[in-house]
Amino acid sequence: MKYQQANMLRITSVCLAILFLGLMSASVTYAQTESYKTNGIISFGEGTDNKQFNGPCAIAIDSANNIYIVEKWNNRVQKIASNEDFIKKWGSYGGSNESFNSPTSIAIDSSGNIYIADSGNNRIDKYTSDGKYVTNWGSWGIANGQFKDPEGVAVDSSGNVYVADSNNNRIQEFKSDGTFITQWGEPGSDAGKLTNPYRIAIDSKNNIYIIDKNRIQKFDSNGNYLIQWGSQGTGDGQFNNPTGITFDSSDNIYIADSGNNRIQKFDSNGNLITQWGSRGTGNGQLGNPSGVAVDSSGNVYVVEFDNDRVQEFTPTNDVGTNDETNENTSVTPPENPKEEESLIGETVKSIINIITNNDNHQESNINSKNNNSPITDSEVSTNKFNFNFFIVISLVAVIGLAVYFIKKRKR
């Protein structure tokens, strides 16, 4: 009878320990939910021929998945089909109509019209999807409709055009024909203020996202500040001279983190989803990624300023986990009844180690989230309380069962 009791104690303790440690291991191991693999490169090298590039700095994709690439040093736009066949190119250096002076950004409206931020000429140029000139507007200055280095352009669902007027530290809104509507913004690094706004993008709800130094700021369609995230650095959600921004059909945000040679993907609230890329010229590596666009299938296209190429990335199911996994997750059953108390003691020690490791892990996540999106003290306290409360209850349950069986055996 004593042996049966001891055997029951041994089995119960082992099962509880394995179950508990397995749950805890799962709870503190977090996985990258998505990953991307390279699926081709568009480039015949640096040059001026078709599908050659010199300073590709911006990219956009139309509803037919045609790809438009802006080249800063070639002062032109190339149009390439989704199967990578060359379609058309237009532009040359100059200040007249149908010419460019260091173009930096591109946007496409629902009718397929193309808008180019012609930065060196301090104007916005409008073309049809076939590259036929329509109109332009702007000149150097600080008045309404004038610009000082317009670096970014975007179009909302109504066809209104927004311009990141970089050195005027403001956003200007126009009708599709260039008629001025309004402006907003003032210089500064505080929330809602602008410091040389560089790129701009608009989601399906007409919220406006602005690359502003090493942060992303989100505004509503009237220019009211909503949230921001990002800071200088190499960590998750940090940036080093981000230069490109776009959305997919779910309003997830892709940032070309140029100085860190990577693409970072966020949800619409600034929570990091995934990232990929490293410095280099090989497949999957990036050389100063300066622009990013997403086609209707979710494929991501990145223009690389230093590598003079466009690289396509495709979502893949091959996802990995990070290294923050508790190593001590296995429990070896005792070989005889005398090892029961030792097993219980080791189980308790393992649980305590998990609590300590989880606190450190939570603190790391909190610090990371502070760089990604706003988090309140109440959120931090609630998350820690919920998890630690669960651990305490589980710990009490394990110890209680162990004590119960020990007392029962001694009778």
Side-chain angles (χ1 to χ4, degrees), residues 326-396:
N326 286 303
E327 297 178 357
N328 188 18
T329 59
S330 62
V331 178
T332 303
E335 296 181 356
N336 60 72
K338 293 182 179 180
E339 296 180 5
E340 294 144 7
E341 289 85 350
S342 176
L343 172 63
I344 294 170
E346 291 301 317
T347 301
V348 173
K349 288 180 181 179
S350 297
I351 293 171
I352 292 172
N353 286 336
I354 289 175
I355 295 173
T356 303
N357 291 337
N358 182 72
D359 282 339
N360 292 335
H361 176 71
Q362 282 186 329
E363 187 67 28
S364 175
N365 280 347
I366 291 165
N367 290 336
S368 176
K369 188 168 183 180
N370 281 333
N371 291 325
N372 295 343
S373 62
I375 184 168
T376 64
D377 291 339
S378 60
E379 287 179 307
V380 176
S381 300
T382 300
N383 289 338
K384 283 190 172 183
F385 173 78
N386 288 341
F387 189 85
N388 289 337
F389 180 76
F390 172 74
I391 288 180
V392 170
I393 293 299
S394 301
L395 180 59
V396 170

Side-chain angles (χ1 to χ4, degrees), residues 1 3 7 45 98 136 231 259-260 279 282 340 352 356 360 367 371 384:
M1 184 67 178
Y3 178 76
N7 190 46
E98 302 182 60
N136 65 43
S231 60
N260 286 325
R279 176 73 183 180
E340 294 144 7
I352 292 172
T356 303
N360 292 335
N367 290 336
N371 291 325
K384 283 190 172 183

Side-chain angles (χ1 to χ4, degrees), residues 48-66:
T48 58
D49 290 340
N50 298 341
K51 293 171 65 175
Q52 288 187 323
F53 304 109
N54 190 359
C57 60
I59 185 170
I61 298 176
D62 65 18
S63 58
N65 286 332
N66 295 309

Side-chain angles (χ1 to χ4, degrees), residues 22-53:
L23 288 172
M24 290 304 93
S25 175
S27 68
V28 297
T29 302
Y30 59 95
Q32 178 176 297
T33 57
E34 295 180 357
S35 64
Y36 288 78
K37 65 179 180 180
T38 185
N39 193 41
I41 293 174
I42 304 173
S43 178
F44 289 146
E46 180 183 347
T48 58
D49 290 340
N50 298 341
K51 293 171 65 175
Q52 288 187 323
F53 304 109

Side-chain angles (χ1 to χ4, degrees), residues 165-206:
D165 188 6
S166 185
N167 286 334
N168 280 327
N169 294 295
R170 66 183 178 182
I171 303 300
Q172 295 197 64
E173 180 185 356
F174 302 86
K175 293 182 179 179
S176 60
D177 62 0
T179 301
F180 174 82
I181 298 176
T182 189
Q183 63 162 316
W184 45 270
E186 59 178 306
S189 58
D190 294 338
K193 295 184 178 181
L194 301 173
T195 304
N196 302 118
Y198 191 71
R199 294 289 187 266
I200 185 171
I202 301 175
D203 67 15
S204 64
K205 300 178 180 64
N206 287 332

Side-chain angles (χ1 to χ4, degrees), residues 36-42 257-258 260-263 276-291 300-313:
Y36 288 78
K37 65 179 180 180
T38 185
N39 193 41
I41 293 174
I42 304 173
D257 188 6
S258 183
N260 286 325
N261 292 289
R262 65 185 178 185
I263 302 299
W276 70 92
S278 60
R279 176 73 183 180
T281 59
N283 292 347
Q285 294 183 311
L286 300 171
N288 192 1
S290 51
V300 181
Y301 292 78
V302 180
V303 288
E304 303 174 55
F305 195 86
D306 288 352
N307 289 337
D308 290 305
R309 67 183 184 183
V310 178
Q311 196 165 175
E312 178 188 358
F313 295 90

